[in-house]
Amino acid sequence: MEFRLLGTVSVDTRTGPLPLGPAKRRSLLAALLLSANTPVPVARLTDSLWGEEPPPRARGVIQGHVSRLRALLTGAEAQAYGVELLTLGDAYVLRVPETLLDYQRFEELLMLARQQRSANDTVRMLDEALSLWQGPPLGGAFTEGPLQAAAHTLEESRLATVEELARAYGNLGEHHRAASVLRAEAVAHPMRESLAAALILALYRAGRQSEALDWFHRTRRLLADELGIDPGHELADAYALILRGDPRPGPAPAGGSDADPPGAVRSGTGPAAEPGAAAAAGPPRVPTAHSHSVLPHPTDLLPRAPRGFHGRTTELAALTRAAAGEAPVCLVTGPAGVGKTSLALQWAHHSPAAFPDGRLFADLRGFSETGEPALIDVLREFLLALGVAPRRVPESVSAAAALFRSLTDRRRLLVVLDNARDSATVRALLPGGTDCVTLVTSRNRLEGLIASDAARPVPLGTLEPQDGTALLAGVLGEERILAEPVAARRLAELCGGLPLALRVTAARLAGRPQWTLAGLADELADERGRLTFLDVDDTGVSAALRLTVQQLPADAVRQLARLGHHPGGHFDPHTCAALAGTDPVAAAAALERLGSAHLVTETAPGRWVLHDLVRLYARGLDPDSGAEALISVLDHYIATALAAADTAEPGGEPCFVLPEDFRPAAVRDFADRAAAMHWLAAERDDLARAAVAARGARLHDRAWRIILLQWPQVVWRVRDSWAPLLELALDSARAQQDLYAESRVLNLLGWVLTEEGRTSEALTLLERSPGLARRAGDRLGEATALINLAVVQAGQGELDRALEGCGRAVALAQEEKDRHTEMLGLQHLARLQLVAHRPGDALESARTALALGPEHEEAARRSLLLAVSGEARLALGDEEEGVLLLDRAAEEAERAGYDEGAVRALEVLLRVSPRADHRTRHAQALGRLTDGG
């Protein structure tokens, strides 16, 4: 079995490719494969498939596609290959060995190619890597938004590989083949200057000077005409080389650059290294007391390579790409314990031949209790390693840094600066040579270094579960892991993929052979003691986090402590402000500080998450504030959900009064209904977690309110599994003995059950609701209950009782002068009258309802009322007016994205007016419902 993204998205099996079906399903598969072995939230899948305008039933469409994919994989016996498509809460994860992913094999072959000493072997590896490509990446999928970015990244990697292959041919002296490889890509990508420059040099070296010059001028004219720019330095350097008439070599020099003048020195060996230089200049000069002596062999200050290193193929490849530029500064960033130093050393040890002049290393101890070393001490160690006599090392930092830059100007050197706290420290230690590579690790983002020195960030996240279990196996042995594979994976997940936590866990188990992996997993499952189990001797997660936190300002520490008590998975500045008792501006500033220290992660603009182990540590910073923080964030959610409901349904009646001890907080503004509905959809899971936390803390008055306030989203996506959450709200309402709340929840729950086809359960609940509302003095709640009950009664064949109840509901709403509820009652009454063969009454009820609704009234309700009016007109024999009304109903539904209403109106239209455009619109709306297209 093989999963392909490098070309058309496909799954190859022994019996042929799987029939994946529509493009949306391929897009879903591509999104899951690009994050293979990592849970992908439904919200991210929605963005990948539809961008900013998902259809109303996007979640249901995704569920349908997932179900079909799962069936296809099961039919192909995918589990035998270690492939599973699982549901994890509100996310899906496609577990698949990396060896089955073509893009992972591509990256692995690239890495192997770069490790080869033989140019022939490099060519073979790169050829094999490029043979995996069968067309443009993510073919057959909708490449918009995140998928478009992923496709662009993959294509960039392919083009860079083509350029590497051409260089490898050049090293073999096969310049004609290099030109052949490059020409096809240069034609397809005429604006890519690196391709044009490489092709020009290959043609020149192959003795085709006129072709090379012609290609340069063609590219120069294209850049001027299309972009209004001159050629960049790479293209200009290639042109200058041809004009100078530099010799055309056979194999390209191993470390040289075409931009160097003839005879340029590439290492620190001095002028005598050039052929004939010693004879011309006399005997080699002996260093004197006034010259800086240089060791004749490269120095190496690197610590030993890390043991038990696993995974990180993508990050190692990213480092290699980042190090390929001119005087590159590569910046590995990530949270404490994620393995930044191990990654840096693994990469640094991988290709010693790439740095013939040496490798330097300094631990800057930016996050250590012992404090940072003085810059002059670090520079002194570097200068001594480069051969400077001790008494010739300058005493000032500026002079020592200048000497260091001078000595490294013509060298190919690697400088590893580990645990840097800030950008200023790093800048003083940067080498001077354009062929030197600087590799920096830090818990901070060091954005200043990115701005001033074009540092190329390589963010480091947590390990995937399979790499985590491999790390455990490296310490404990394969036999112990294979004996308890499920427990091993659970340990990796409980450690949150954090290498430091995994190593501490492995150390505990290694010293206790009588312990089982399952036993330790059970211990770690208890959040109260998890961090204690992840500390051993002077090493552990808590210690690492403490060193990061102690460098933060007080306001950021306070914010982090309060975030530990947040019941949800995500948070924004408004939520943080509520937790910490500040304002959104101050909260946003604190989040930026925490994000820079990799204590929180921004998953989308203004949307942040905490790693599980950081959350547990944060909770311990201020354990006594948990109850206060919970109430604050619950009230924030209530206030924000109220604002969202008011914006989404401006004519609707407020669900309730606020709790007596309600704590007001800063509430975001919603520009329109779409923004409000988007917030309700995006926060659904966190609102559910908040309600569960409220119920656990016996804050029942908050629990049912948070759930009930989501009613606009419930109504819009009624078949989206709302029943369990509403049942929780019902339990809280009853626990509080609040008749008003119980009636309101019963109304909504009963309607949801009706739409799910569970009519007998709905009837049982809804029959109780009107009486509860009357006892609570909630007349509008009684009207809503009667409407919902009437819908169920009509479905059970009790049409007379349904008509009577709906009529009473309309009368109650009129008495209370509530136009919104009256319009709702009239809408259902009109539909019931139509079913009862009373089209005149139905038309009158619909007309009255439409007259009540302002222009901003919900489009779905207007569409339904227009459809009823159209059907009534048809029943009265006025076909022309009926067709017009039904067409208007369909148009309003289509504009609002209400596909169910469009399908319903168009189905009636087709029975009396089977026009081609009606058939087309019906098919399109039905397709959107069934396929999500």
Side-chain angles (χ1 to χ4, degrees):
M1 176 169 281
E2 184 174 26
F3 294 85
R4 294 187 178 277
L5 296 181
L6 307 182
T8 299
V9 178
S10 61
V11 184
D12 291 347
T13 68
R14 287 179 298 177
T15 57
L18 292 185
L20 294 178
K24 275 291 189 288
R25 194 170 300 146
R26 290 179 190 272
S27 304
L28 176 67
L29 176 61
L32 292 171
L33 287 173
L34 287 165
S35 299
N37 304 302
T38 302
V40 185
V42 169
R44 197 195 312 166
L45 290 174
T46 303
D47 288 342
S48 296
L49 269 61
W50 292 284
E52 297 181 356
E53 297 183 2
R57 298 181 64 249
R59 181 183 291 266
V61 172
I62 289 173
Q63 289 171 345
H65 285 312
V66 167
S67 177
R68 182 59 184 150
L69 279 176
R70 189 175 284 137
L72 287 170
L73 292 172
T74 301
E77 299 180 347
Q79 198 162 7
Y81 296 90
V83 177
E84 293 181 282
L85 179 49
L86 304 175
T87 303
L88 296 179
D90 191 40
Y92 297 103
V93 58
L94 183 56
R95 290 181 175 164
V96 52
E98 289 188 356
T99 54
L100 302 185
L101 300 171
D102 63 346
Y103 74 92
Q104 289 286 2
R105 291 208 316 282
F106 174 73
E107 290 286 348
E108 186 177 353
L109 286 167
L110 284 191
M111 194 165 235
L112 290 172
R114 291 161 184 160
Q115 296 167 14
Q116 303 306 310
R117 295 189 177 185
S118 162
N120 280 309
D121 291 340
T122 299
V123 165
R124 278 194 290 270
M125 291 287 185
L126 293 174
D127 263 333
E128 187 177 349
L130 289 169
S131 71
L132 294 171
W133 286 77
Q134 299 180 348
L138 309 189
F142 288 106
T143 49
E144 297 180 1
L147 289 183
Q148 185 181 43
H152 177 74
T153 300
L154 289 171
E155 177 65 8
E156 281 292 311
S157 184
R158 185 188 72 83
L159 290 173
T161 305
V162 170
E163 293 172 351
E164 284 191 49
L165 177 59
R167 284 195 293 273
Y169 278 133
N171 289 336
L172 291 171
E174 299 181 14
H175 304 299
H176 288 289
R177 297 188 69 177
S180 177
V181 165
L182 292 164
R183 184 184 290 273
E185 299 299 340
V187 169
H189 302 276
M191 310 289 265
R192 189 179 176 94
E193 291 189 57
S194 58
L195 271 175
L199 175 58
I200 289 167
L201 289 174
L203 290 168
Y204 173 65
R205 288 172 172 169
R208 295 150 67 179
Q209 179 172 328
S210 62
E211 285 184 66
L213 290 171
D214 179 65
W215 202 276
F216 169 79
H217 289 299
R218 183 191 310 179
T219 306
R220 178 183 57 77
R221 286 193 299 270
L222 185 65
L223 291 172
D225 293 344
E226 297 293 330
L227 302 178
I229 61 172
D230 294 325
H233 72 87
E234 195 171 3
L235 199 55
D237 286 350
Y239 180 58
L241 182 146
I242 299 172
L243 293 182
R244 287 199 309 264
D246 279 9
R248 296 189 294 271
S257 166
D258 291 319
D260 291 332
V265 182
R266 297 299 301 172
S267 68
T269 53
E274 295 183 42
R285 182 167 59 90
V286 179
T288 67
H290 300 287
S291 66
H292 300 298
S293 62
V294 179
L295 293 178
H297 56 81
T299 187
D300 195 340
L301 299 184
L302 286 184
R304 64 174 175 80
R307 296 174 183 172
F309 187 88
H310 292 280
R312 304 300 195 191
T313 304
T314 301
E315 290 85 354
L316 288 168
L319 266 181
T320 301
R321 289 192 294 271
E326 182 178 291
V329 179
C330 309
L331 178 57
V332 178
T333 62
V338 81
K340 299 179 293 297
T341 302
S342 293
L343 177 76
L345 291 176
Q346 178 73 7
W347 186 85
H349 276 283
H350 221 51
S351 302
F355 305 104
D357 296 318
R359 298 179 295 190
L360 304 178
F361 177 90
D363 182 359
L364 301 181
R365 302 199 302 270
F367 305 90
S368 169
E369 291 180 318
T370 60
E372 298 174 83
L375 276 176
I376 190 63
D377 293 338
V378 177
L379 285 165
R380 179 181 291 109
E381 184 174 358
F382 283 180
L383 292 171
L384 293 174
L386 291 173
V388 177
R391 61 194 182 90
R392 302 303 303 166
V393 175
E395 295 183 0
S396 71
V397 170
S398 58
L403 178 58
F404 177 59
R405 289 193 296 272
S406 174
L407 285 176
T408 55
D409 182 51
R410 304 298 293 176
R411 298 186 183 224
R412 291 173 63 189
L413 193 74
L414 172 65
V415 180
V416 180
L417 303 175
D418 195 29
N419 290 313
R421 182 173 59 87
D422 55 39
S423 301
T425 303
V426 173
R427 289 192 192 102
L429 300 172
L430 293 178
T434 57
D435 288 328
C436 292
V437 174
T438 307
L439 179 51
V440 183
T441 75
S442 180
R443 297 183 192 181
N444 292 333
R445 289 198 296 251
L446 301 191
E447 291 172 344
L449 195 65
I450 297 173
S452 64
D453 293 272
R456 303 175 187 185
V458 179
L460 195 60
T462 54
L463 289 172
E464 300 296 337
Q466 67 271 21
D467 291 327
T469 54
L471 191 154
L472 291 173
V475 178
L476 302 174
E478 291 284 349
E479 299 81 5
R480 200 164 175 186
I481 299 301
L482 292 174
E484 297 182 81
V486 175
R489 189 177 185 90
R490 187 176 174 218
L491 279 175
E493 291 170 348
L494 287 168
C495 289
L498 200 66
L500 175 59
L502 287 161
R503 292 186 183 280
V504 170
T505 298
R508 282 191 174 277
L509 288 166
R512 298 167 178 81
Q514 73 279 12
W515 281 20
T516 64
L517 273 64
L520 183 56
D522 289 340
E523 296 281 1
L524 288 178
D526 185 352
E527 290 187 346
R528 293 169 297 180
R530 188 179 303 171
L531 286 179
T532 302
F533 274 94
L534 294 178
D535 287 332
V536 58
D537 294 337
D538 59 346
T539 301
V541 175
S542 295
L545 290 172
R546 184 178 67 254
L547 294 175
T548 303
V549 171
Q550 70 185 13
Q551 300 194 26
L552 295 172
D555 59 334
V557 176
R558 172 180 166 79
Q559 184 68 76
L560 179 64
R562 291 302 182 95
L563 284 173
H565 300 292
H566 178 45
H570 294 80
F571 41 87
D572 60 20
H574 287 82
T575 311
C576 293
L579 282 163
T582 59
D583 60 78
V585 175
L591 283 174
E592 284 296 328
R593 293 297 300 266
L594 295 173
S596 181
H598 287 93
L599 290 167
V600 298
T601 303
E602 192 172 18
T603 58
R607 192 169 170 84
W608 304 75
V609 296
L610 269 178
H611 187 282
D612 281 349
L613 297 181
V614 178
R615 176 175 53 82
L616 295 178
Y617 179 82
R619 189 179 296 170
L621 292 173
D622 187 6
D624 296 332
S625 67
E628 178 188 354
L630 178 61
I631 293 175
S632 296
V633 79
L634 292 176
D635 287 353
H636 160 72
Y637 276 138
I638 289 172
T640 309
L642 262 174
D646 287 345
T647 305
E649 300 292 346
E653 174 218 2
C655 285
F656 46 73
V657 295
L658 295 170
E660 291 182 4
D661 58 344
F662 178 78
R663 302 178 181 181
V667 178
R668 65 167 64 233
D669 293 325
F670 296 101
D672 50 31
R673 183 177 191 276
M677 294 295 281
H678 176 77
W679 184 86
L680 287 169
E683 298 297 325
R684 174 178 172 175
D685 291 338
D686 277 2
L687 291 171
R689 291 190 181 101
V692 171
R695 185 183 176 194
R698 298 185 178 279
L699 297 169
H700 296 294
D701 57 340
R702 266 81 173 178
W704 69 261
R705 282 177 167 86
I706 287 175
I707 295 169
L708 199 60
L709 273 170
Q710 299 176 66
W711 70 268
Q713 188 72 9
V714 177
V715 171
W716 189 251
R717 297 183 176 180
V718 65
R719 296 184 184 88
D720 209 4
S721 304
W722 293 99
L725 194 62
L726 288 166
E727 286 165 357
L728 186 150
L730 185 60
D731 289 344
S732 288
R734 287 172 173 169
Q736 201 183 1
Q737 297 182 339
D738 188 327
L739 299 181
Y740 172 95
E742 184 177 355
S743 169
R744 289 283 175 154
V745 175
L746 283 173
N747 283 347
L748 196 53
L749 177 56
W751 186 64
V752 167
L753 294 176
T754 303
E755 291 293 312
E756 290 182 354
R758 298 160 62 180
T759 51
S760 58
E761 297 174 66
L763 188 61
T764 302
L765 294 176
L766 290 170
E767 284 179 334
R768 301 183 55 228
S769 186
L772 288 170
R774 276 194 301 276
R775 288 164 57 193
D778 180 14
R779 291 169 62 80
L780 287 176
E782 181 183 357
T784 305
L786 288 168
I787 294 167
N788 291 344
L789 179 59
V791 172
V792 180
Q793 289 170 333
Q796 299 287 83
E798 301 179 54
L799 192 55
D800 290 341
R801 290 185 64 192
L803 284 164
E804 180 187 354
C806 222
R808 283 170 51 206
V810 171
L812 281 170
Q814 289 171 339
E815 290 171 15
E816 293 296 311
K817 295 182 172 52
D818 187 276
R819 293 157 64 98
H820 185 88
T821 306
E822 183 182 354
M823 188 175 183
L824 178 67
L826 286 167
Q827 170 200 325
H828 287 280
L829 181 60
R831 174 59 61 184
L832 293 175
Q833 289 167 335
L834 198 61
V835 173
H837 306 294
R838 293 161 50 186
D841 293 340
L843 184 61
E844 184 59 31
S845 296
R847 279 177 173 169
T848 305
L850 286 166
L852 287 171
E855 286 301 317
H856 62 258
E857 185 57 66
E858 184 190 343
R861 180 162 297 128
R862 285 184 53 82
S863 171
L864 292 171
L865 285 165
L866 288 169
V868 170
S869 301
E871 291 182 65
R873 282 290 188 186
L874 291 178
L876 291 168
D878 189 351
E879 183 173 313
E880 182 179 355
E881 182 65 18
V883 168
L884 286 173
L885 287 167
L886 286 164
D887 194 41
R888 278 183 58 199
E891 285 178 354
E892 293 224 10
E894 287 164 339
R895 278 198 300 270
Y898 181 42
D899 293 319
E900 291 183 17
V903 169
R904 187 179 303 175
L906 288 163
E907 279 177 351
V908 180
L909 256 180
L910 285 171
R911 289 200 291 267
V912 295
S913 176
R915 285 167 31 186
D917 62 324
H918 291 159
R919 282 197 299 271
T920 301
R921 288 164 61 194
H922 178 264
Q924 289 172 342
L926 192 61
R928 288 191 295 270
L929 271 178
T930 57
D931 244 1

